[in-house]
Amino acid sequence: MKQGFIKKIISNQYTLIDLDTKEEILASARGKLRYLRLDEKSSFNKQETMKTKKDTKIVTLSPKVGDYVGYEADLDIYWISEIKPRKNDLVRPDVANVDQVLLVFSCIRPEFSFHLLDQFLIIMQQENLTPVLVITKIDLIDNHALVELKVALRYYESMGIDVYYVNSKQRIGFDVLTHIFKDKITVLAGQTGVGKSTLLNALMPELNLKTQEISEALGRGKHTTRHTELYGFNEGYIVDTPGFSKIEFRIFFQDDLKQYYPDFQALSNRCKFGSNCLHLSEPGCEVKKQVEEKKILSSRYENYVQFAEEIKAQKAKY
Ligand code: CA
Ligand code: ZN
């Protein structure tokens, strides 16, 4: 079987890149792919609600952009006959195997939100996604406030998250930013008004035109047509549709929250109750100690406590 990578989907037609020849191939998908038997270990198996368990079940599954697939020729038509396990799987945009998510935040208008950042970072952990922080509109904030923000964000840099500061209009900060796309699939995310489109258009001025041509070719009013595409950029791919328009956790137990905080996890062996510590009201908690010593950003911990309370309140409803 030949191996390919899905670059584009329009309706039921898939554009693959053959992994050996790098040739573009047009392919269709076998119907049996839609009914795949999964076991609990399958990467396609996900816990969607508090009550569903990861279990052996049959699901309908379509190949999506970003998928690595097996394909074969049959009567001059190429057929996708296998989808390789996914390292992650987004719904909006409909892309698999995303390497990094650019979390776009403006430093002002709307004001930078540590609460939203911590929410995003939980989702990044849950979905096996690598976050990269891009701070926009640095020209609109006074220098003192920008320095203050940079100092606070050093905490996240110490967690291994890269932070970039840009002014998209004047392409300030772009010399470094443009190098992070190589060999990666990148999705942009962020709340309305932070400048995702401005950033995307400044990075890829030709993209605007491409997406316009495609929507014209597909015709107006045909909103049901499935179209997702990866656009080549600096030896990598960018997805033109931003993700995470709506933020919601799928965390059902207070106990599970801490595993999405790698910075807290790293300290739990020094908590009196070790891995059982929720870092909430337990005595001898190293996380709380480091918050007091200002080694952990106080907003980071306050947001954690708030999320823990929200999960508890949600659980009480069952
Ligand atoms: Ca995960
Ligand atoms: Zn603790």
mmCIF file of all heavy atoms in Angstrom, residues 295-316:
data_model
loop_
_atom_site.group_PDB
_atom_site.id
_atom_site.type_symbol
_atom_site.label_atom_id
_atom_site.label_comp_id
_atom_site.label_asym_id
_atom_site.label_seq_id
_atom_site.Cartn_x
_atom_site.Cartn_y
_atom_site.Cartn_z
ATOM 1 N N LYS A 295 7.336 32.200 43.265
ATOM 2 C CA LYS A 295 8.025 31.440 42.214
ATOM 3 C C LYS A 295 7.015 30.995 41.161
ATOM 4 O O LYS A 295 7.362 30.750 40.007
ATOM 5 C CB LYS A 295 8.730 30.219 42.814
ATOM 6 C CG LYS A 295 9.973 30.575 43.611
ATOM 7 C CD LYS A 295 10.632 29.311 44.142
ATOM 8 C CE LYS A 295 11.731 29.633 45.137
ATOM 9 N NZ LYS A 295 11.999 28.480 46.015
ATOM 10 N N ILE A 296 5.766 30.849 41.595
ATOM 11 C CA ILE A 296 4.676 30.563 40.657
ATOM 12 C C ILE A 296 3.857 31.846 40.528
ATOM 13 O O ILE A 296 3.583 32.514 41.529
ATOM 14 C CB ILE A 296 3.785 29.396 41.162
ATOM 15 C CG1 ILE A 296 4.565 28.075 41.088
ATOM 16 C CG2 ILE A 296 2.479 29.304 40.366
ATOM 17 C CD1 ILE A 296 3.843 26.892 41.690
ATOM 18 N N LEU A 297 3.485 32.165 39.293
ATOM 19 C CA LEU A 297 2.692 33.365 39.027
ATOM 20 C C LEU A 297 1.364 33.267 39.790
ATOM 21 O O LEU A 297 0.658 32.267 39.678
ATOM 22 C CB LEU A 297 2.436 33.400 37.520
ATOM 23 C CG LEU A 297 2.062 34.700 36.835
ATOM 24 C CD1 LEU A 297 3.201 35.713 36.974
ATOM 25 C CD2 LEU A 297 1.792 34.414 35.357
ATOM 26 N N SER A 298 1.028 34.303 40.567
ATOM 27 C CA SER A 298 -0.165 34.190 41.420
ATOM 28 C C SER A 298 -1.440 34.022 40.591
ATOM 29 O O SER A 298 -2.325 33.250 40.952
ATOM 30 C CB SER A 298 -0.267 35.392 42.362
ATOM 31 O OG SER A 298 -0.374 36.578 41.610
ATOM 32 N N SER A 299 -1.529 34.705 39.436
ATOM 33 C CA SER A 299 -2.743 34.556 38.613
ATOM 34 C C SER A 299 -2.878 33.117 38.104
ATOM 35 O O SER A 299 -3.982 32.604 37.963
ATOM 36 C CB SER A 299 -2.700 35.509 37.418
ATOM 37 O OG SER A 299 -1.615 35.203 36.561
ATOM 38 N N ARG A 300 -1.758 32.468 37.863
ATOM 39 C CA ARG A 300 -1.762 31.081 37.379
ATOM 40 C C ARG A 300 -2.433 30.183 38.427
ATOM 41 O O ARG A 300 -3.246 29.344 38.101
ATOM 42 C CB ARG A 300 -0.314 30.653 37.139
ATOM 43 C CG ARG A 300 -0.120 29.190 36.778
ATOM 44 C CD ARG A 300 -0.026 28.965 35.317
ATOM 45 N NE ARG A 300 0.303 27.592 34.988
ATOM 46 C CZ ARG A 300 -0.268 26.927 33.979
ATOM 47 N NH1 ARG A 300 -1.163 27.494 33.215
ATOM 48 N NH2 ARG A 300 0.085 25.693 33.726
ATOM 49 N N TYR A 301 -2.054 30.399 39.695
ATOM 50 C CA TYR A 301 -2.634 29.583 40.757
ATOM 51 C C TYR A 301 -4.100 29.959 41.031
ATOM 52 O O TYR A 301 -4.948 29.088 41.196
ATOM 53 C CB TYR A 301 -1.799 29.700 42.039
ATOM 54 C CG TYR A 301 -2.332 28.800 43.128
ATOM 55 C CD1 TYR A 301 -2.226 27.418 43.020
ATOM 56 C CD2 TYR A 301 -2.989 29.327 44.239
ATOM 57 C CE1 TYR A 301 -2.742 26.577 43.990
ATOM 58 C CE2 TYR A 301 -3.510 28.496 45.224
ATOM 59 C CZ TYR A 301 -3.380 27.120 45.087
ATOM 60 O OH TYR A 301 -3.914 26.294 46.041
ATOM 61 N N GLU A 302 -4.403 31.270 41.029
ATOM 62 C CA GLU A 302 -5.798 31.711 41.263
ATOM 63 C C GLU A 302 -6.740 31.127 40.209
ATOM 64 O O GLU A 302 -7.844 30.685 40.519
ATOM 65 C CB GLU A 302 -5.889 33.243 41.234
ATOM 66 C CG GLU A 302 -5.352 33.901 42.504
ATOM 67 C CD GLU A 302 -4.898 35.345 42.271
ATOM 68 O OE1 GLU A 302 -5.346 35.976 41.292
ATOM 69 O OE2 GLU A 302 -4.079 35.828 43.082
ATOM 70 N N ASN A 303 -6.296 31.119 38.956
ATOM 71 C CA ASN A 303 -7.127 30.551 37.892
ATOM 72 C C ASN A 303 -7.315 29.051 38.083
ATOM 73 O O ASN A 303 -8.394 28.520 37.858
ATOM 74 C CB ASN A 303 -6.507 30.824 36.512
ATOM 75 C CG ASN A 303 -6.577 32.298 36.144
ATOM 76 O OD1 ASN A 303 -7.476 33.013 36.583
ATOM 77 N ND2 ASN A 303 -5.620 32.752 35.348
ATOM 78 N N TYR A 304 -6.260 28.394 38.540
ATOM 79 C CA TYR A 304 -6.337 26.949 38.816
ATOM 80 C C TYR A 304 -7.410 26.662 39.863
ATOM 81 O O TYR A 304 -8.254 25.772 39.676
ATOM 82 C CB TYR A 304 -4.970 26.457 39.297
ATOM 83 C CG TYR A 304 -4.947 25.019 39.760
ATOM 84 C CD1 TYR A 304 -4.870 23.970 38.853
ATOM 85 C CD2 TYR A 304 -5.020 24.703 41.128
ATOM 86 C CE1 TYR A 304 -4.854 22.650 39.277
ATOM 87 C CE2 TYR A 304 -5.007 23.388 41.565
ATOM 88 C CZ TYR A 304 -4.914 22.364 40.637
ATOM 89 O OH TYR A 304 -4.913 21.055 41.061
ATOM 90 N N VAL A 305 -7.389 27.447 40.945
ATOM 91 C CA VAL A 305 -8.374 27.253 42.017
ATOM 92 C C VAL A 305 -9.786 27.485 41.471
ATOM 93 O O VAL A 305 -10.711 26.722 41.749
ATOM 94 C CB VAL A 305 -8.083 28.193 43.219
ATOM 95 C CG1 VAL A 305 -9.198 28.124 44.255
ATOM 96 C CG2 VAL A 305 -6.738 27.844 43.850
ATOM 97 N N GLN A 306 -9.919 28.511 40.659
ATOM 98 C CA GLN A 306 -11.238 28.806 40.078
ATOM 99 C C GLN A 306 -11.733 27.670 39.175
ATOM 100 O O GLN A 306 -12.888 27.258 39.252
ATOM 101 C CB GLN A 306 -11.178 30.116 39.301
ATOM 102 C CG GLN A 306 -12.562 30.633 38.946
ATOM 103 C CD GLN A 306 -12.512 31.758 37.932
ATOM 104 O OE1 GLN A 306 -11.598 32.590 37.946
ATOM 105 N NE2 GLN A 306 -13.487 31.777 37.040
ATOM 106 N N PHE A 307 -10.853 27.141 38.338
ATOM 107 C CA PHE A 307 -11.247 26.037 37.458
ATOM 108 C C PHE A 307 -11.628 24.804 38.283
ATOM 109 O O PHE A 307 -12.592 24.110 37.971
ATOM 110 C CB PHE A 307 -10.118 25.671 36.479
ATOM 111 C CG PHE A 307 -9.704 26.799 35.564
ATOM 112 C CD1 PHE A 307 -8.381 26.938 35.161
ATOM 113 C CD2 PHE A 307 -10.631 27.716 35.088
ATOM 114 C CE1 PHE A 307 -7.985 27.967 34.317
ATOM 115 C CE2 PHE A 307 -10.242 28.762 34.243
ATOM 116 C CZ PHE A 307 -8.910 28.885 33.861
ATOM 117 N N ALA A 308 -10.867 24.564 39.354
ATOM 118 C CA ALA A 308 -11.158 23.418 40.216
ATOM 119 C C ALA A 308 -12.548 23.561 40.833
ATOM 120 O O ALA A 308 -13.313 22.589 40.906
ATOM 121 C CB ALA A 308 -10.096 23.292 41.305
ATOM 122 N N GLU A 309 -12.891 24.786 41.238
ATOM 123 C CA GLU A 309 -14.221 25.031 41.816
ATOM 124 C C GLU A 309 -15.312 24.835 40.769
ATOM 125 O O GLU A 309 -16.375 24.288 41.058
ATOM 126 C CB GLU A 309 -14.288 26.447 42.408
ATOM 127 C CG GLU A 309 -13.654 26.503 43.793
ATOM 128 C CD GLU A 309 -13.343 27.918 44.271
ATOM 129 O OE1 GLU A 309 -13.707 28.897 43.577
ATOM 130 O OE2 GLU A 309 -12.723 28.034 45.347
ATOM 131 N N GLU A 310 -15.049 25.280 39.558
ATOM 132 C CA GLU A 310 -16.031 25.120 38.477
ATOM 133 C C GLU A 310 -16.283 23.641 38.172
ATOM 134 O O GLU A 310 -17.416 23.233 37.940
ATOM 135 C CB GLU A 310 -15.542 25.833 37.203
ATOM 136 C CG GLU A 310 -15.725 27.346 37.250
ATOM 137 C CD GLU A 310 -15.024 28.072 36.098
ATOM 138 O OE1 GLU A 310 -14.656 27.418 35.100
ATOM 139 O OE2 GLU A 310 -14.843 29.290 36.226
ATOM 140 N N ILE A 311 -15.220 22.857 38.181
ATOM 141 C CA ILE A 311 -15.369 21.420 37.899
ATOM 142 C C ILE A 311 -16.176 20.753 39.012
ATOM 143 O O ILE A 311 -17.046 19.937 38.751
ATOM 144 C CB ILE A 311 -13.987 20.754 37.741
ATOM 145 C CG1 ILE A 311 -13.317 21.252 36.455
ATOM 146 C CG2 ILE A 311 -14.108 19.232 37.719
ATOM 147 C CD1 ILE A 311 -11.821 21.001 36.395
ATOM 148 N N LYS A 312 -15.908 21.168 40.244
ATOM 149 C CA LYS A 312 -16.620 20.620 41.383
ATOM 150 C C LYS A 312 -18.117 20.956 41.304
ATOM 151 O O LYS A 312 -18.965 20.098 41.507
ATOM 152 C CB LYS A 312 -16.025 21.159 42.679
ATOM 153 C CG LYS A 312 -16.400 20.357 43.908
ATOM 154 C CD LYS A 312 -15.716 20.941 45.130
ATOM 155 C CE LYS A 312 -16.180 20.269 46.404
ATOM 156 N NZ LYS A 312 -15.662 20.971 47.587
ATOM 157 N N ALA A 313 -18.408 22.206 40.946
ATOM 158 C CA ALA A 313 -19.793 22.648 40.840
ATOM 159 C C ALA A 313 -20.535 21.896 39.739
ATOM 160 O O ALA A 313 -21.688 21.528 39.888
ATOM 161 C CB ALA A 313 -19.833 24.151 40.574
ATOM 162 N N GLN A 314 -19.853 21.646 38.651
ATOM 163 C CA GLN A 314 -20.449 20.935 37.524
ATOM 164 C C GLN A 314 -20.739 19.490 37.901
ATOM 165 O O GLN A 314 -21.755 18.923 37.556
ATOM 166 C CB GLN A 314 -19.498 21.048 36.325
ATOM 167 C CG GLN A 314 -19.420 19.843 35.404
ATOM 168 C CD GLN A 314 -18.089 19.800 34.656
ATOM 169 O OE1 GLN A 314 -17.808 20.645 33.821
ATOM 170 N NE2 GLN A 314 -17.254 18.807 34.938
ATOM 171 N N LYS A 315 -19.824 18.901 38.692
ATOM 172 C CA LYS A 315 -19.971 17.516 39.117
ATOM 173 C C LYS A 315 -21.175 17.361 40.034
ATOM 174 O O LYS A 315 -21.882 16.354 39.991
ATOM 175 C CB LYS A 315 -18.693 17.083 39.841
ATOM 176 C CG LYS A 315 -18.514 15.587 39.914
ATOM 177 C CD LYS A 315 -17.288 15.262 40.755
ATOM 178 C CE LYS A 315 -17.427 13.852 41.325
ATOM 179 N NZ LYS A 315 -16.464 13.613 42.374
ATOM 180 N N ALA A 316 -21.409 18.386 40.874
ATOM 181 C CA ALA A 316 -22.507 18.324 41.823
ATOM 182 C C ALA A 316 -23.859 18.192 41.154
ATOM 183 O O ALA A 316 -24.823 17.730 41.751
ATOM 184 C CB ALA A 316 -22.469 19.562 42.729
#
